[in-house]
Amino acid sequence: FGPLSKIRPPCWKCQASKAKVERERIRRSCERSTNEHTSARERFSGGDVPSQALTMSTPYEDVQRPLRAGDASSPHAEEPGLPRRHRRRNSSSSPGRTLYALAESTSLAWQRVKDLYSMDPVARSANMQDVRSGYERIDPLGSKAVLWSLTALLGSFLAYQMYFYWRSIMDLILHLQLHTMEFVMAIAILGVAQLAYRVRRPNAVYLVDFQTYKPPKHYQLTHEKFMELSRNTGKFSDESLAFQRKLLEKSGLGQATHVPDVYWRSHEIAKANGEEGALLTMHNARLEAEMVLFGVMDALFLANGLDPQDIDILIVNCSLFNPTPSLSAMIVNKYKLKSSILTYNLAGMGCSAGLISIDLAKDLLQVHRNVRAVVVSTENITQNWYTGTEKSMLISNTLFRLGGAAILLSNRSSDRKIARHQLVTTVRTHSGNDDLAYDSVFQMEDKKGVRGVKLSKNIMDIAGSALKKNITSLAPLVFPFDEHIKFGIYLFKKRVLKYKKMPPFVPDFHRAFSHFCIHTGGRAVLDVFEKAL
C-alpha cells in the first residue's frame, strides 16, 4: 500500500535516478543542519557536548545517523560506572540554523515531499509491519460481512437438508438418522456464530451533534488590526513585524478572526516596561478558557435540549494550557455534572489531540453501555503569544486564534435517528520514537528567555511519513474485498514466485474514501496536499 492514491508516475524506473539525486541533496542538507546544531550545543555547554545530545534520524534510508554519545565507537562514550547525564536542549538554534530552517517555504517543502513519493518507488512501497498491523485489527467474529456470509452458507445447507430429507426431519424423534444429525449441527453452528457476533461486535458510536465557539463581535480583528496590536506591545522589531505581516498574507487566515481580551490590551505591556508577564498571566488564560469552554458547552446543550446530568463521559484537550484544577474540572464545577461522570484532560499533544480525544471516546463507548460522551477541543493563546524575535517561533502567532469545538458522541440506540454520522474506525500512528518527529514542534525559550513554540523545517517530511504509515494500517479495514484479492496476488508473486522487477502496489484509495479532511497549518500546505491526493 502507498499513501497517495493518484500519484502513478509514467515510468518509475527511469525516474529512480532523479529520486536518488534528490535524496542525496536532502542528505547533505541534513548533515549541514546537524553540524550547525552540534556547534550550537557545544557553545551552549562550554565545549562539552552533553550526553545523548548528538541524535538525529531521518525518514530516508541512505542518511546515516550520527553517533550517539554513549555508543562504543563514540568519542563521548561514557565510562563504566559513571552516572548518565540527562540530555539538555539548547534554548535556541544558532542564527545560521534559524535562517536555514526558514529558507524553504511551506509550499516548496511539500513540493519536495510530493516529488519524493511520486518519483521514488522505495518511498512509495509499504512497510509490511504497517500492513500486518492493519490486518491484525480485523475481528472476524465482529464482522457483519463474515456473519452474513456464514449465514448464507449454512442457510443453503439447511435448505438442501430440508428439501431432500424432510421426511427424516419430521421423524426426528423416532428415527434419528445421520443426515438429521448434520441438520442439527448446522443449526447449532449457526446459533454459535450469531451468539459470537452479538458478543464480539463493537458498539455503534454516533456523532449526534457538534458546535463550534462563536466569539463576541468586539473580539474580531483584521490583519491590519493584528499588526497594530502587535506594534503596541513595544516588543517586536520592525523586522519581526514585517515577517509576521508576510506570513499573515500567505497563511490563509481571513479578515474576521478573533483573539482574546489580552491582545486588545497589548499597550499594557509597553506601560509595564516590556514585561509581558504583567498581562499574559494565568488568570487571564483562565478567563479565555472559561469563555471558550462555557460558550461552546452552552451552545451544545441549547441546540440539543440536553440536561448536563445526561453527560456520562467528558474529555477535554488543550495542548499548551494545563492548569490545576484541570479544564475538565472547570466544566464539571460550572455545570454541576453528576459525581459518577468520567473525566479526562489531555494536554501537550498538539494539533492531533482532537482526533486522539475521539479515539479515546470511542474506546470508552465500547466499554460503557448506553452512555453519552462530550469531547471539547480548544487551544489557549493568552500565555503563548510569542513576543521574541526568533522567526521560527513567530510562525505560531499567525496560525492560532480564539476558538473551540464540542462534539456529542453516543452509543445509545435511541440516538441513531438523530445522529449526523456514525464513527466507523480509527487508527492511531505514533511517531514519537523518531527524533525528527519529536523535535518538529517544540515549546521552549529563545536565547532571551522568551517562551514560545518552535516549528521545525522537518515537519513536512514527518507529516508525509506519518500519513503513509497511518493510511497503510487503515487500508485493510476500509478497502473492498477485491482490493484485498489484488494485494494477495501481488504478495504471492513477490514472495512466492520471487518476482523482482515489480512496481509498488498502490491501490485505488477512492474505492474506500469519498472525501479527505486534512488538518494543516497554512494555505500552501492545503494546495499541495490537494494536488498530491
Side-chain angles (χ1 to χ4, degrees):
F1 293 82
L4 307 176
S5 60
K6 289 300 182 182
I7 301 179
R8 293 193 175 118
C11 180
W12 62 271
K13 295 181 181 179
C14 62
Q15 292 179 352
S17 59
K18 296 181 181 179
K20 183 176 181 180
V21 174
E22 177 69 11
R23 293 199 307 272
E24 181 66 20
R25 183 185 67 80
I26 296 174
R27 184 184 67 81
R28 291 196 300 267
S29 300
C30 290
E31 288 181 350
R32 183 166 62 252
S33 175
T34 304
N35 294 334
E36 294 175 359
H37 200 185
T38 303
S39 61
R41 291 184 185 275
E42 290 177 350
R43 290 194 299 269
F44 176 75
S45 59
D48 182 17
V49 182
S51 178
Q52 300 184 3
L54 301 180
T55 57
M56 193 71 176
S57 66
T58 175
Y60 306 102
E61 297 178 354
D62 56 349
V63 181
Q64 301 296 325
R65 292 174 58 94
L67 293 174
R68 293 180 180 269
D71 290 348
S73 58
S74 171
H76 300 283
E78 298 176 348
E79 297 180 5
L82 293 180
R84 188 179 183 88
R85 291 175 292 179
H86 293 288
R87 176 180 179 181
R88 294 184 61 188
R89 276 186 172 81
N90 191 359
S91 61
S92 175
S93 299
S94 62
R97 177 170 169 79
T98 301
L99 294 176
Y100 176 77
L102 298 168
E104 60 177 1
S105 65
T106 302
S107 178
L108 291 178
W110 267 117
Q111 186 65 37
R112 186 189 72 241
V113 175
K114 189 184 74 170
D115 291 342
L116 172 68
Y117 283 107
S118 62
M119 294 189 301
D120 188 0
V122 177
R124 288 164 56 81
S125 60
N127 187 335
M128 295 308 299
Q129 291 184 352
D130 298 331
V131 178
R132 189 180 301 111
S133 174
Y135 276 103
E136 288 174 353
R137 297 172 185 266
I138 299 177
D139 185 2
L141 296 180
S143 172
K144 186 178 293 186
V146 174
L147 174 69
W148 286 113
S149 299
L150 183 60
T151 301
L153 179 63
L154 294 178
S156 301
F157 177 76
L158 292 177
Y160 170 82
Q161 289 284 323
M162 294 179 67
Y163 181 78
F164 287 101
Y165 302 104
W166 62 274
R167 292 184 181 277
S168 298
I169 297 174
M170 297 297 295
D171 299 333
L172 174 63
I173 299 178
L174 299 178
H175 306 285
L176 194 62
Q177 303 295 329
L178 180 60
H179 55 266
T180 308
M181 289 295 298
E182 295 173 352
F183 180 81
V184 174
M185 290 180 62
I187 293 180
I189 294 174
L190 182 59
V192 171
Q194 288 283 351
L195 179 62
Y197 172 73
R198 298 294 177 183
V199 173
R200 298 290 295 269
R201 69 173 179 177
N203 294 334
V205 178
Y206 305 109
L207 191 155
V208 180
D209 192 22
F210 70 92
Q211 295 291 326
T212 56
Y213 177 64
K214 299 174 178 59
K217 292 286 290 186
H218 59 271
Y219 287 149
Q220 182 175 304
L221 83 170
T222 61
H223 291 179
E224 191 59 37
K225 187 62 178 179
F226 176 78
M227 297 307 304
E228 178 186 343
L229 297 178
S230 299
R231 193 179 300 107
N232 291 343
T233 63
K235 297 282 291 183
F236 296 102
S237 63
D238 293 339
E239 182 182 1
S240 297
L241 291 172
F243 180 73
Q244 291 184 82
R245 182 186 297 275
K246 182 179 179 181
L247 290 176
L248 278 175
E249 294 173 354
K250 298 182 178 181
S251 65
L253 293 181
Q255 298 289 342
T257 57
H258 300 77
V259 292
D261 180 65
V262 293
Y263 281 67
W264 299 92
R265 296 157 49 196
S266 58
H267 58 277
E268 296 182 13
I269 297 180
K271 290 182 179 179
N273 297 323
E275 290 291 334
E276 63 267 12
L279 183 63
L280 309 182
T281 61
M282 176 74 74
H283 173 71
N284 289 329
R286 282 184 179 276
L287 293 179
E288 179 193 348
E290 291 176 355
M291 179 174 60
V292 175
L293 298 179
F294 298 162
V296 75
M297 290 294 290
D298 288 342
L300 186 69
F301 290 145
L302 180 63
N304 296 275
L306 280 179
D307 186 336
Q309 297 297 316
D310 294 336
I311 305 303
D312 304 288
I313 300 172
L314 175 65
I315 303 173
V316 182
N317 69 81
C318 181
S319 183
L320 295 176
F321 183 57
N322 187 27
T324 301
S326 65
L327 298 180
S328 59
M330 187 185 300
I331 295 177
V332 172
N333 180 262
K334 166 69 176 180
Y335 296 99
K336 308 304 178 186
L337 303 182
K338 56 188 178 184
S339 58
S340 60
I341 190 171
L342 302 178
T343 62
Y344 299 87
N345 202 90
L346 307 183
M349 308 193 82
C351 299
S352 61
L355 291 177
I356 293 174
S357 299
I358 296 295
D359 185 58
L360 174 60
K362 183 204 70 172
D363 291 341
L364 292 172
L365 290 175
Q366 299 305 314
V367 177
H368 304 278
R369 302 275 181 173
N370 201 34
V371 296
R372 289 191 176 112
V374 171
V375 175
V376 184
S377 181
T378 186
E379 190 54 87
N380 194 291
I381 61 176
T382 291
Q383 288 188 305
N384 295 282
W385 187 9
Y386 178 66
T387 58
T389 58
E390 290 285 346
K391 291 184 177 181
S392 59
M393 302 172 73
L394 286 169
I395 300 176
S396 59
N397 289 351
T398 63
L399 295 180
F400 296 100
R401 289 295 182 263
L402 186 65
I407 301 97
L408 176 61
L409 302 173
S410 173
N411 60 9
R412 296 184 179 183
S413 57
S414 58
D415 290 333
R416 180 175 182 176
K417 296 181 180 180
I418 61 175
R420 297 193 180 194
H421 302 283
Q422 180 177 347
L423 180 62
V424 178
T425 185
T426 58
V427 173
R428 184 180 177 189
T429 303
H430 206 299
S431 302
N433 57 356
D434 188 341
D435 292 340
L436 287 180
Y438 182 77
D439 293 328
S440 59
V441 180
F442 211 89
Q443 187 180 21
M444 56 188 293
E445 292 88 11
D446 63 12
K447 56 188 176 184
K448 295 182 180 180
V450 182
R451 185 176 60 183
V453 177
K454 181 179 179 181
L455 303 181
S456 169
K457 69 180 182 65
N458 298 310
I459 193 170
M460 303 303 169
D461 305 285
I462 296 304
S465 176
L467 177 67
K468 176 182 175 181
K469 287 185 177 181
N470 189 268
I471 292 188
T472 301
S473 299
L474 177 66
L477 302 174
V478 296
F479 274 125
F481 189 68
D482 58 339
E483 291 293 332
H484 291 274
I485 295 177
K486 293 178 182 178
F487 178 67
I489 296 174
Y490 168 83
L491 207 59
F492 178 78
K493 291 180 179 179
K494 188 174 182 179
R495 294 290 181 87
V496 180
L497 301 182
K498 304 297 183 180
Y499 284 13
K500 296 183 178 179
K501 297 182 179 180
M502 292 184 63
F505 177 77
V506 181
D508 185 4
F509 278 83
H510 289 85
R511 297 287 307 279
F513 307 114
S514 58
H515 296 82
F516 291 89
C517 182
I518 306 296
H519 171 82
T520 55
R523 185 183 62 189
V525 178
L526 267 179
D527 293 340
V528 178
F529 228 136
E530 180 181 6
K531 297 177 183 178
L533 288 175

